[in-house]
């Protein structure tokens, strides 16, 4: 399987005064599958031949955005933005032998954000933002069954609030804490339920970043905790399918980064240190 994904964009920042500025931009994005083949096997699992598969036509979209910022003299910043974004299906979602769907369309979203941020002395920074996402052709799995295909779920609406803070108790130490409330509902005309799979309503992020003096090695520990998540919901094609959900979970990730020479850095990362299933 082979595809091209491309994007061409332009963005400009306009300053109306010392405190007021705006960012305006747009991009043209496209996705084109140029080659798709399936391997055929015999009953013993040996390769026998290859079949050329149908490829979808080029998917493309125009995505504009605009943002406005106002910064007060005490560093308080008000910001708001609106942006259209496109997420194309992956090759796996299109052609997976167990769950692929070559008829998937690109997912399109219009995202709105408004918030406020501020530094509190040199030791802390905080931000709170409201968001609303209007999503069409949302790409999702409809069941925990590994053979359940990916589908375009129709019209999904998400709204909520995001709070982020950072603390700087030492020059080399950064403590991070964030919380997101995300209320997602299915607004499709033929929906069976309001539930949306794989979108936790509550998410808590916490992180510690330490830079070793002298050698500049950066150590990052980041934890993610979520509330319950629905993994299966009824759909128009399977209206009697049971609702399934998993309890909240915690995942811890680590990363070690080292700069060298003048323009380079190398890192090694370990995700899910506690092997959470």
């Amino acid at each position: 399987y082979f595809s091209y994904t491309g994007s061409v964009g332009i963005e400009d920042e306009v300053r109306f005064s010392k405190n007021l500025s705006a960012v305006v931009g747009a991009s043209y994005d496209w996705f084109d599958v140029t080659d798709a083949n399936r391997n055929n096997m015999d009953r013993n699992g040996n390769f026998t031949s290859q079949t050329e598969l149908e490829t979808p036509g080029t998917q493309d979209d125009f995505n504009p955005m605009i943002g406005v910022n106002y910064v007060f003299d005490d560093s308080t910043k008000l910001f708001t933005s609106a942006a259209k974004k496109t997420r194309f299906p992956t090759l796996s979602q299109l052609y997976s032998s167990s769950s692929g769907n070559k008829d998937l369309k690109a997912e399109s979203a219009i995202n709105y954000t408004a918030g406020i941020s501020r530094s509190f002395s040199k030791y802390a920074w905080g931000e709170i933002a409201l968001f609303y996402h209007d999503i069409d052709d949302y790409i999702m799995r409809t069941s925990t069954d590994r053979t359940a295909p990916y589908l375009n779920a129709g019209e999904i609406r998400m709204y909520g609030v995001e709070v982020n803070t950072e603390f700087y108790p030492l020059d080399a130490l950064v403590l991070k804490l964030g919380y997101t409330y995300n209320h997602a509902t299915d607004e499709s005309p033929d929906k069976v339920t309001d539930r949306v799979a794989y979108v936790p309503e509550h998410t808590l992020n916490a992180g510690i970043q330490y830079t070793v003096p002298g050698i500049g090695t950066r150590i990052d520990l980041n934890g993610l905790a979520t509330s319950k998540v629905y993994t299966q919901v009824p759909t128009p094609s399977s209206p009697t399918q049971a609702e399934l959900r998993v309890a909240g979970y915690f995942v811890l990730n680590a990363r070690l980064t080292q700069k060298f020479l003048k323009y380079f850095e190398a890192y090694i990362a370990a995700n899910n240190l506690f092997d959470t299933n």
Side-chain angles (χ1 to χ4, degrees), residues 37-51:
N37 300 278
R38 181 181 64 236
N39 290 338
N40 301 312
M41 308 290 182
D42 62 20
R43 65 180 60 188
N44 296 318
N46 300 312
F47 172 81
T48 58
S49 62
Q50 196 170 68
T51 302

Side-chain angles (χ1 to χ4, degrees), residues 1-272:
Y1 311 98
F2 197 90
S3 68
Y4 288 96
T5 303
S7 181
V8 177
I10 186 170
E11 184 177 293
D12 186 44
E13 181 178 8
V14 181
R15 288 198 167 273
F16 301 103
S17 67
K18 181 183 73 171
N19 305 94
L20 180 64
S21 65
V23 177
V24 180
S27 68
Y28 172 71
D29 309 290
W30 69 93
F31 175 70
D32 182 25
V33 180
T34 59
D35 191 29
N37 300 278
R38 181 181 64 236
N39 290 338
N40 301 312
M41 308 290 182
D42 62 20
R43 65 180 60 188
N44 296 318
N46 300 312
F47 172 81
T48 58
S49 62
Q50 196 170 68
T51 302
E52 185 175 350
L53 301 179
E54 179 184 355
T55 59
T58 302
Q59 301 186 50
D60 60 352
D61 212 346
F62 176 74
N63 292 312
M65 63 83 66
I66 183 171
V68 178
N69 303 309
Y70 189 88
V71 182
F72 293 90
D73 292 338
D74 63 357
S75 82
T76 301
K77 178 181 178 180
L78 300 178
F79 57 90
T80 184
S81 66
K84 181 173 178 289
K85 294 294 181 182
T86 301
R87 184 168 74 92
F88 298 111
T90 65
L91 287 173
S92 176
Q93 291 169 342
L94 290 169
Y95 293 112
S96 167
S97 59
S98 60
S99 57
N101 178 5
K102 62 181 178 57
D103 295 322
L104 281 177
K105 295 183 289 185
E107 178 183 307
S108 179
I110 301 179
N111 305 318
Y112 304 93
T113 304
I116 182 172
S117 66
R118 180 176 176 174
S119 296
F120 300 94
S121 75
K122 66 177 183 177
Y123 296 108
W125 168 88
E127 176 183 278
I128 183 170
L130 304 175
F131 63 84
Y132 178 79
H133 303 318
D134 186 346
I135 308 171
D136 290 327
D137 295 319
Y138 184 68
I139 298 173
M140 64 177 289
R141 293 283 293 275
T142 59
S143 169
T144 55
D145 184 350
R146 291 181 180 273
T147 63
Y150 285 95
L151 296 174
N152 291 112
E155 301 173 8
I156 303 297
R157 306 292 178 261
M158 299 182 184
Y159 65 85
V161 60
E162 187 172 4
V163 180
N164 290 293
T165 58
E166 291 185 359
F167 302 93
Y168 318 105
L170 303 171
D171 289 341
L173 182 63
V174 181
L175 306 178
K176 303 176 183 180
L177 186 64
Y179 166 75
T180 301
Y181 169 74
N182 185 3
H183 182 73
T185 58
D186 189 340
E187 301 293 341
S188 305
D190 58 348
K191 68 180 181 181
V192 180
T193 177
D194 290 339
R195 310 285 192 192
V196 179
Y198 299 105
V199 180
E201 192 166 43
H202 304 279
T203 305
L204 183 67
N205 293 277
I208 300 175
Q209 181 182 100
Y210 180 72
T211 303
V212 181
I215 59 175
T217 303
R218 191 170 71 244
I219 303 168
D220 287 277
L221 284 175
N222 294 290
L224 169 70
T226 76
S227 62
K228 65 184 180 184
V229 179
Y230 285 90
T231 57
Q232 178 175 290
V233 296
T235 65
S237 59
S238 303
T240 60
Q241 182 171 256
E243 284 187 354
L244 299 179
R245 66 187 186 187
V246 296
Y249 58 88
F250 175 76
V251 175
L252 183 65
N253 305 321
R255 177 169 168 148
L256 196 67
T257 306
Q258 179 63 57
K259 291 185 176 181
F260 62 97
L261 300 180
K262 186 176 180 181
Y263 301 107
F264 299 90
E265 69 176 26
Y267 72 88
I268 183 171
N271 295 328
N272 197 8

